[in-house]
Amino acid sequence: MAKKSAVQNQKRKEKLVKKFAGRRARLKEIVNDESLSMEERFEASLKLAQVPRNSSATRLRNRCEVTGRPRAFHRKMKMSRIAVRELGSKGLIPGLVKSSW
């Protein structure tokens, strides 16, 4: 199980990412648009710098939805290898057959 504070930080970052996604996208579009004047692009980059850093999607980390573990994450199941193994052993994951030999 991951630290509760780390999981809560992740949730807070996810809220920020969702909240500022539109604004960040618009500002990045302006900054990357070379048909606009340099002053407009620079102004947009300054506004982008004012947006919270934790609202960037790259600040997020994939975490297991069961335990919150940040490592050994399977994207397809959104779980860590340990949670997949435990739930697979109990037969709670449909279509997953855990072999033991």
Side-chain angles (χ1 to χ4, degrees), residues 50-98:
Q50 296 298 317
V51 178
R53 284 186 175 185
N54 282 339
S55 67
S56 174
T58 57
R59 291 285 184 122
L60 295 178
R61 182 158 180 99
N62 289 330
R63 286 188 175 270
C64 174
E65 290 191 352
V66 178
T67 61
R69 182 181 165 85
R71 308 279 175 118
F73 177 82
H74 292 280
R75 286 182 182 218
K76 188 172 183 179
M77 293 174 267
K78 296 187 178 180
M79 287 189 279
S80 67
R81 62 180 173 82
I82 298 167
V84 170
R85 183 178 171 86
E86 287 176 0
L87 295 177
S89 295
K90 293 177 185 174
L92 297 175
I93 302 175
L96 183 78
V97 178
K98 184 179 172 291

Side-chain angles (χ1 to χ4, degrees), residues 1-16 54 59-61 63-65 67-69:
M1 192 69 187
K3 286 177 18 179
K4 289 183 180 181
S5 61
V7 174
Q8 293 305 315
N9 282 337
Q10 176 80 1
K11 287 181 182 176
R12 189 172 62 247
K13 286 177 187 177
E14 287 171 1
K15 283 182 187 176
L16 278 174
N54 282 339
R59 291 285 184 122
L60 295 178
R61 182 158 180 99
R63 286 188 175 270
C64 174
E65 290 191 352
T67 61
R69 182 181 165 85

Side-chain angles (χ1 to χ4, degrees), residues 10-27:
Q10 176 80 1
K11 287 181 182 176
R12 189 172 62 247
K13 286 177 187 177
E14 287 171 1
K15 283 182 187 176
L16 278 174
V17 168
K18 189 183 263 188
K19 180 178 177 182
F20 288 99
R23 188 183 308 179
R24 288 184 76 86
R26 282 193 304 274
L27 289 171

